[in-house]
Amino acid sequence: MKTDKKQNQYRVNEQIRVREVRIVGESGSTVMPTKEALDMARQQGVDLVEISPNANPPVCRLIDYSKFLYQQKKRAKEMKAKQVKVEVKEIRFGPQTDEHDYQFKLKHAKEFLEEGNKVRAYVFFRGRSILFKEQGEVLLLRFANDLEEVGKVESMPSLEGKKMFLYLAPKKAGVAKKSQQARDREAIEAEQKEQKNQQAQDIDVEAPANGGLFANAKISADALKKLTETEDE
């Protein structure tokens, strides 16, 4: 039978041997002698659980110990579920990668970063292609620049053996820099929206003050008058 390690993480009741403790609860916190806190726990039918032994005085709660352990396990499980596992995705280039292949890999790298993963891009120099290491460095720098909206450089291109590496990490949500094209598009959309609102206001101002049958009669009379004038001409 496995022993629950959490059982030994907290001191409970008589295991707490300090002179006084701070009791925390929904109504606040109170410092009192440990003996008095133990008596209070017995009266309420709960345990005195030390939750922060390094505080001065140590912090305790009046709670059923089994319930307390359950809450701790539940909280740990929720925190673990919220943790995002960051993976490192690799993107490989040759020193003379063509434009189509570059754009294809750029697209995938952007998707990796947007999903919260890191990207390790590298140029592999085979044989005498090591002579083109400067060309490989330029390619990696271009790659980093094209991904600046979604990724940040963790380390600049560096040669390790026959490979030159570049490391990128995802930017935090909401931090990604907008391109000039995106900013221009938003400005145009805002201007068009403002124009529509203004046109709607103008229509409201020109509408007849009285609605219903009176408004319809007035419009019909105006139309009839214009028709008569046309026939006279």
Side-chain angles (χ1 to χ4, degrees):
M1 182 176 178
K2 289 185 178 180
T3 302
D4 193 339
K5 293 182 179 180
K6 284 189 176 293
Q7 294 279 357
N8 301 320
Q9 286 185 3
Y10 305 96
R11 287 185 289 205
V12 186
N13 298 327
E14 284 74 14
Q15 295 175 352
I16 305 171
R17 302 181 183 279
V18 294
R19 179 179 297 181
E20 60 182 13
V21 294
R22 181 182 296 277
I23 304 298
V24 295
E26 295 180 358
S27 58
S29 65
T30 306
V31 176
M32 63 176 65
T34 305
K35 185 177 182 304
E36 184 178 333
L38 284 168
D39 292 339
M40 186 182 298
R42 293 190 190 98
Q43 291 173 7
Q44 296 181 15
V46 294
D47 299 297
L48 181 66
V49 182
E50 186 182 62
I51 60 174
S52 182
N54 297 325
N56 186 22
V59 178
C60 298
R61 285 183 63 189
L62 297 174
I63 187 173
D64 182 86
Y65 189 43
S66 59
K67 180 180 179 181
F68 173 76
L69 289 176
Y70 171 76
Q71 290 177 347
Q72 295 300 306
K73 289 180 182 178
K74 184 178 180 182
R75 187 176 294 111
K77 187 177 181 180
E78 289 174 350
M79 290 179 64
K80 185 176 181 180
K82 290 180 180 179
Q83 290 178 347
V84 179
K85 185 178 179 181
V86 178
E87 297 182 8
V88 179
K89 303 289 188 178
E90 282 196 345
I91 300 290
R92 172 176 170 170
F93 293 102
Q96 295 178 323
T97 299
D98 61 46
E99 184 64 21
H100 180 268
D101 190 31
Y102 174 84
Q103 293 297 333
F104 178 78
K105 293 177 178 179
L106 179 68
K107 178 184 176 182
H108 281 287
K110 185 177 181 181
E111 292 174 353
F112 293 149
L113 291 168
E114 289 176 340
E115 291 170 357
N117 299 304
K118 292 187 176 183
V119 171
R120 177 171 61 189
Y122 69 92
V123 179
F124 180 68
F125 300 98
R126 189 188 303 273
R128 296 185 63 184
S129 66
I130 192 70
L131 299 173
F132 300 98
K133 62 181 181 179
E134 291 184 359
Q135 189 171 337
E137 183 178 6
V138 169
L139 186 150
L140 290 176
L141 290 174
R142 176 194 174 189
F143 191 66
N145 184 67
D146 289 344
L147 292 169
E148 65 175 350
E149 291 189 4
V150 293
K152 57 184 178 181
V153 177
E154 281 196 331
S155 67
M156 297 298 286
S158 60
L159 187 64
E160 299 177 21
K162 293 185 178 181
K163 296 180 181 179
M164 181 174 287
F165 290 95
L166 168 74
Y167 292 87
L168 298 169
K171 283 188 175 180
K172 293 182 180 179
V175 178
K177 181 181 177 183
K178 293 182 180 178
S179 65
Q180 184 61 47
Q181 184 179 2
R183 292 196 295 268
D184 292 343
R185 183 172 62 251
E186 290 179 357
I188 293 172
E189 290 175 353
E191 184 178 353
Q192 290 175 345
K193 185 177 180 181
E194 180 64 25
Q195 289 177 353
K196 289 181 180 179
N197 291 338
Q198 186 62 45
Q199 290 174 357
Q201 292 175 3
D202 293 342
I203 292 173
D204 290 340
V205 171
E206 294 174 359
N210 296 317
L213 294 174
F214 178 79
N216 292 333
K218 185 176 183 302
I219 294 171
S220 299
D222 291 342
L224 182 59
K225 182 179 179 182
K226 290 181 179 179
L227 181 60
T228 303
E229 291 175 351
T230 304
E231 292 177 350
D232 291 342
E233 293 176 357

